[in-house]
Amino acid sequence: MIKIENLHKSYKMGNNTLHVLKGIDFKVDQGELVAIMGSSGSGKSTLLNIVGMLDLLDEGQYTLDDVIIKDLDETKAARYRNKFLGFVFQSFNLINYKTALENVSLPLYYQGIKRKERQEIALSYLEKVGLKEWATHLPSELSGGQKQRVAIARAMAARPKVLLADEPTGALDTTTSFEVMDLIQKINEEGKTILVVTHEEDIAKMCKRIVRLKDGVIVEDKNVEQVLASKYV
Amino acid sequence: MFSLDRWQEIFQTIAKNKLRTFLSGFTIALGIFIFIILFGFGNGLKNTFKEEFLDDATNSIRIFAGKTSKPYKGFKSNRRIEFKNSDIEDIKLNFPFYLEYITPRINRFSISSYKNESNNYSTQGVAPSHQYFEKTIMMKGRYLNENDVKNKTKNAVIGRLVALDLFKQEDPIGKYISLAGVAFKVIGVFQDEGGDNEERIIFLPYTTRQLLEKSNDKIDQILVSFKPELGLKIALIFEKKLRLFLKNKKSIDPTDSKGIYIRNIAQAANQNEQFASVLQYIVAFVGLGTLIAGIIGISNIMVFVVKERTKELGVRKALGATPRSVIAMILQESIFITALSGSIGMLIAIVILQNLGDTLDKFFIRNPYVDISTAIFSTFILIIFGAIAGYIPAKRAASIKPIVALRDE
C-alpha cells in the first residue's frame, strides 16, 4: 500500500540545514495498523506529513497504492489527499462554525458529491462512531473525545486508502484515549490501513506493528502482539 | 460557472460569521454611501450656481439708464438719462456684425383683474424677441409678434401663475383681463424655469405701453444679445463699443461711471461656470478620496478575514480543497458581500438624495442628485477593488502549505 525508498528530508533554518529524515526505507501493506514512535525531533511527524502529502520529499521515492507520488503541485496534492488519504489530528481541526454533520461531509463536498447524498454518507459515518444524535451540534458543544470521533468520521467519510493519525490521543485523557483507539482498531479490523504517530507506549502497543525512529532513521521495526483497547473501555 | 453547492457553502459561511460579514459589508456600504451623498451635494451646489442663469440667455447684455455724475458738453451732472425707441434703431444700424436680437423692456406694476379675482403683477412692455432673452416657453396660444408691436394691439401674454391666480381652471385664451382699467385680450400663457416670480409676469407690446403713457417713446431697459459664435472675448469688445456709442449719443462724459449701466450676462455666466467647474473638481477629489478610503478599508478587512481563516483553509486543503477552490471560495464570498452591501449603500444614498430636494436650499445645495451611471460605476469600481483586495491575501493563504496552516500555535 505504502512504499518509501531512501527518503531524505531537510529543513532550512536560516543558514543551517536541519537534516530531519536521513534515508528511510519503509513499507506498509494493506490492512496494517502501524505505530510510528520516537521522541520529539526524531522525524516521525515529518514522515507522516510526507506520507500525507502535506509536505514534499527532497530525495527518494514514495509510492501510494501503486501510484508514484512525485512532481506534486498543490492542486495535484489536494486531489491525491482527497482520493487516498484521511487525516486525524491531535487538535482535531474541526471547523468551528460547522456542525458535526457538516464537518464530516466536507471532504465529500470536495469530492463533488451531491448535497443530499453527502449528508446521508456523513450521517452513516457519524453513526459508526456513535455520534448520530450529535449530528447537529457544533464542535464547541462536544467533548474532546467526541470531537476526535467526529474527526475520525470525517477522515473515514472520504473512503480513503490510508488513515493517517498524528497523535490522535495527544489531547485526550487516558479513558478517552482508549475509546478512540478502540474505534481505530475497529476501523482497522474492517481492512483499513492506518498509520498512527504517537509517543505513548500503551497507545503504540494497541497497534500491530511499531516503527521506531531516532534522529531521522528507523532504529526498530517489529510486529507486536496487539493489545485490544476494548479491554480498558 | 454556477454551482448551487458552492453558493450553499458560501451562504453558510456568511450566515455563521455574522460579525465578519457585517464589518466588511458595512465598510463597503458606508464608503459608497458617503461617496454618493457627497457627489450629490456637489451637484446640488453646482445646480444652485447654474440655476441663477438657467432661465436667461447667457449671450445677452442688459443696458439700464441712470443719472450722470459728471458735467459734460454743457450738461450739468445729475442729469437723468432716458432711452428712446430711436436708440434701438441706432443700435440695430450700427452693430449688425455683433447683434443677434434686441428688445426694449418697460416695466410697470399694475393691478390686473378678471371677474372677481385681481392681483398686482409686473407687466413688461417688450418686443417679440424678448421671448429669446427670458427663454419663455409657451404653454398655450402664442407670444407677441411684430403685428402687435406695429398696431399697438391690446394683447397680453400671461404667466402660468397669473393664469392660475386669475382664471383658476378656466381657459384664459381669448378672455379679456383688465390692466389698470384697460382691457387686454389674453393671447398666450407661458412658463419659465426661473421660478415662481418669473411666472407672475404679463407681457404686452412695448408700443402699447407707450401709447397708454401719453404716446411717449421712452424705454426703461434695452436687452441686446450677441451672436453666440462670437465668443466671450468679442462680446466684451462689443460691450465696450456699445457703451462708447451710447455715451456719445447721450452726451455723457466717457469717464463717467454712472449714467449708463451695462450688465453682461455672458461674463457673469462665464465666471460662474468657472466656479462651478472648480467645485466639480473639489467634489470629484473628495469623492475619489472616499472611494480610496473604502478600498483601503475593505482591503484591511480581507487581510484580517483571510488571516483568521488560515487554519480553516488548511483543514479544507488537507481534506482535498485545491488552491483554486480556496481562492474561488474567498473571492466569491467577498464579491457577494461587496456587491450586496455596495448596492444597499448606493440605494439608501440615492433615496436620501432624492428626498432631500430643496430642503438644503439655505446651504446653497439645490436638488442634489447623482446620475445612475456614476452611482453604478463607482459601486462597480468598489466591488472590483474589493475582489482584488480579497484575491491577494486569498492567493497567499491558498499557497500556504496545509502543514504550516495546521501547525498548533
Side-chain angles (χ1 to χ4, degrees):
Chain A
M1 181 58 71
I2 295 172
K3 205 168 117 196
I4 281 170
E5 290 160 287
N6 192 29
L7 172 65
H8 285 266
K9 176 72 186 177
S10 45
Y11 290 107
K12 280 219 164 67
M13 312 280 270
N15 290 329
N16 303 329
T17 310
L18 194 64
H19 204 165
V20 183
L21 297 177
K22 305 164 181 169
I24 304 269
D25 288 290
F26 174 57
K27 206 164 162 261
V28 180
D29 290 324
Q30 168 88 39
E32 279 199 273
L33 174 54
V34 184
I36 299 171
M37 291 203 68
S39 54
S40 59
S42 61
K44 58 182 191 302
S45 285
T46 308
L47 178 62
L48 194 77
N49 287 335
I50 287 171
V51 172
M53 290 176 239
L54 295 171
D55 211 343
L56 297 174
L57 51 82
D58 292 342
E59 203 180 298
Q61 187 168 306
Y62 169 29
T63 315
L64 176 64
D65 198 30
D66 297 328
V67 179
I68 296 171
I69 307 297
K70 60 175 184 181
D71 303 328
L72 272 187
D73 59 34
E74 278 291 339
T75 310
K76 212 166 154 191
R79 292 230 178 84
Y80 281 152
R81 280 198 292 267
N82 191 247
K83 200 168 141 197
F84 289 132
L85 303 165
F87 291 93
V88 176
F89 303 96
Q90 177 175 3
S91 50
F92 323 128
N93 282 331
L94 298 176
I95 292 175
N96 56 17
Y97 62 83
K98 284 180 179 288
T99 63
L101 186 70
E102 286 159 354
N103 264 291
V104 176
S105 49
L106 197 57
L108 301 168
Y109 167 73
Y110 287 114
Q111 280 180 350
I113 294 172
K114 291 258 179 309
R115 186 178 178 81
K116 215 173 165 137
E117 200 185 336
R118 231 158 53 205
Q119 284 181 335
E120 277 167 22
I121 297 172
L123 200 63
S124 75
Y125 277 94
L126 271 180
E127 194 175 8
K128 236 179 187 172
V129 299
L131 290 173
K132 196 182 176 186
E133 308 82 70
W134 296 84
T136 56
H137 287 250
L138 290 174
S140 55
E141 297 160 343
L142 302 175
S143 72
Q146 285 173 324
K147 280 185 206 168
Q148 196 60 295
R149 273 146 69 191
V150 171
I152 290 171
R154 180 175 70 181
M156 294 303 299
R159 285 170 215 153
K161 304 266 188 220
V162 177
L163 190 65
L164 301 173
D166 190 2
E167 303 270 9
T169 59
L172 304 174
D173 62 50
T174 317
T175 323
T176 329
S177 294
F178 291 154
E179 279 172 19
V180 166
M181 281 314 290
D182 183 39
L183 185 61
I184 287 176
Q185 283 177 342
K186 278 181 182 143
I187 292 165
N188 174 246
E189 284 310 309
E190 289 169 15
K192 194 71 71 187
T193 314
I194 303 176
L195 261 64
V196 179
V197 163
T198 184
H199 62 271
E200 292 170 71
E201 280 295 339
D202 49 352
I203 296 296
K205 278 181 183 142
M206 292 176 178
C207 299
K208 292 174 178 169
R209 176 180 161 197
I210 299 178
V211 174
R212 279 180 210 277
L213 263 79
K214 198 178 181 190
D215 297 331
V217 288
I218 294 175
V219 290
E220 188 189 24
D221 186 350
K222 60 169 187 190
N223 289 324
V224 291
E225 192 66 32
Q226 189 181 26
V227 179
L228 286 182
S230 53
K231 273 201 287 188
Y232 300 94
V233 179
Chain B
M1 184 181 65
F2 182 81
S3 147
L4 186 65
D5 254 1
R6 174 110 58 92
W7 279 110
Q8 276 169 337
E9 184 73 17
I10 283 163
F11 283 135
Q12 194 196 21
T13 317
I14 288 173
K16 298 258 170 105
N17 296 280
K18 291 198 179 69
L19 179 68
R20 191 166 80 198
T21 309
F22 174 77
L23 274 180
S24 40
F26 186 71
T27 312
I28 289 291
L30 192 69
I32 203 77
F33 176 81
I34 292 175
F35 172 77
I36 288 176
I37 290 285
L38 274 179
F39 206 87
F41 278 12
N43 279 335
L45 277 175
K46 262 164 49 190
N47 275 350
T48 307
F49 287 94
K50 262 193 185 158
E51 241 168 67
E52 296 292 312
F53 295 92
L54 198 68
D55 64 314
D56 297 328
T58 51
N59 60 332
S60 63
I61 295 171
R62 294 185 181 188
I63 309 165
F64 311 82
K67 282 179 180 172
T68 58
S69 63
K70 288 179 183 175
Y72 189 64
K73 284 188 178 170
F75 291 107
K76 287 180 186 168
S77 73
N78 217 21
R79 172 172 55 106
R80 175 167 284 286
I81 303 296
E82 280 177 329
F83 295 130
K84 295 187 187 325
N85 288 353
S86 63
D87 295 330
I88 303 274
E89 297 309 315
D90 282 344
I91 292 173
K92 275 187 190 168
L93 222 59
N94 282 282
F95 298 99
F97 172 72
Y98 303 98
L99 198 64
E100 190 189 32
Y101 297 113
I102 184 164
T103 177
R105 184 196 267 179
I106 307 165
N107 208 5
R108 300 285 182 272
F109 275 90
S110 39
I111 302 285
S112 318
S113 54
Y114 175 75
K115 289 183 180 169
N116 291 329
E117 301 292 335
S118 78
N119 208 342
N120 199 9
Y121 297 107
S122 159
T123 63
Q124 300 187 350
V126 298
S129 56
H130 189 270
Q131 185 179 8
Y132 170 80
F133 288 91
E134 286 289 347
K135 289 190 179 167
T136 305
I137 303 155
M138 293 310 294
M139 294 168 73
K140 272 182 199 164
R142 63 167 178 89
Y143 201 71
L144 302 168
N145 60 26
E146 291 300 336
N147 267 335
D148 293 318
V149 172
K150 209 169 111 191
N151 301 328
K152 304 179 186 179
T153 60
K154 294 201 172 68
N155 285 344
V157 177
I158 64 176
R160 182 179 64 90
L161 293 176
V162 175
L164 204 66
D165 291 347
L166 297 183
F167 290 91
K168 312 290 179 202
Q169 304 301 327
E170 229 177 295
D171 183 7
I173 304 292
K175 308 269 161 54
Y176 287 86
I177 55 170
S178 151
L179 293 182
V182 182
F184 278 78
K185 185 180 172 186
V186 178
I187 57 164
V189 179
F190 70 89
Q191 61 182 24
D192 193 297
E193 286 178 348
D196 288 1
N197 286 338
E198 302 274 309
E199 292 183 334
R200 285 213 160 87
I201 291 175
I202 300 173
F203 292 120
L204 327 168
Y206 72 100
T207 48
T208 310
R209 169 57 69 198
Q210 287 171 338
L211 180 73
L212 291 175
E213 294 180 346
K214 294 164 192 160
S215 276
N216 66 16
D217 64 346
K218 287 176 188 167
I219 294 168
D220 289 356
Q221 273 181 49
I222 301 173
L223 276 66
V224 175
S225 78
F226 56 87
K227 292 171 182 158
E229 63 268 23
L230 295 178
L232 183 64
K233 265 189 189 156
I234 297 181
L236 290 174
I237 295 170
F238 175 40
E239 179 196 323
K240 209 169 157 186
K241 284 188 172 174
L242 203 59
R243 192 190 300 272
L244 273 176
F245 172 79
L246 286 172
K247 279 185 172 171
N248 185 38
K249 192 179 174 208
K250 303 282 176 195
S251 301
I252 303 168
D253 187 336
T255 61
D256 193 346
S257 61
K258 307 269 172 68
I260 285 178
Y261 301 94
I262 295 186
R263 183 156 172 251
N264 194 335
I265 308 273
Q267 198 179 7
N270 185 270
Q271 279 169 355
N272 259 352
E273 230 155 73
Q274 282 175 351
F275 188 68
S277 54
V278 169
L279 263 182
Q280 187 154 34
Y281 285 132
I282 293 172
V283 166
F285 181 75
V286 171
L288 202 70
T290 326
L291 270 191
I292 290 172
I295 290 167
I296 292 172
I298 189 72
S299 310
N300 276 335
I301 287 171
M302 285 316 293
V303 169
F304 160 75
V305 163
V306 170
K307 182 125 188 113
E308 192 200 48
R309 293 179 74 174
T310 306
K311 190 149 188 165
E312 180 202 327
L313 300 178
V315 173
R316 284 177 184 272
K317 287 184 78 177
L319 296 180
T322 56
R324 255 183 70 167
S325 75
V326 169
I327 295 173
M329 181 178 71
I330 293 178
L331 271 193
Q332 208 167 333
E333 198 186 306
S334 77
I335 290 175
F336 177 77
I337 294 173
T338 44
L340 187 73
S341 50
S343 311
I344 290 174
M346 179 181 87
L347 285 180
I348 292 177
I350 288 177
V351 166
I352 287 181
L353 280 184
Q354 253 166 10
N355 286 320
L356 276 177
D358 285 344
T359 49
L360 292 175
D361 234 11
K362 59 181 167 186
F363 304 111
F364 302 106
I365 294 169
R366 193 174 295 167
N367 278 329
Y369 76 99
V370 67
D371 50 309
I372 296 296
S373 59
T374 308
I376 289 176
F377 177 74
S378 51
T379 309
F380 191 67
I381 288 284
L382 211 56
I383 292 169
I384 296 278
F385 276 95
I388 293 173
Y391 178 75
I392 295 164
K395 191 167 160 50
R396 209 169 49 206
S399 64
I400 296 175
K401 286 182 187 160
I403 171 87
V404 178
L406 291 175
R407 193 168 285 156
D408 293 307
E409 272 98 300

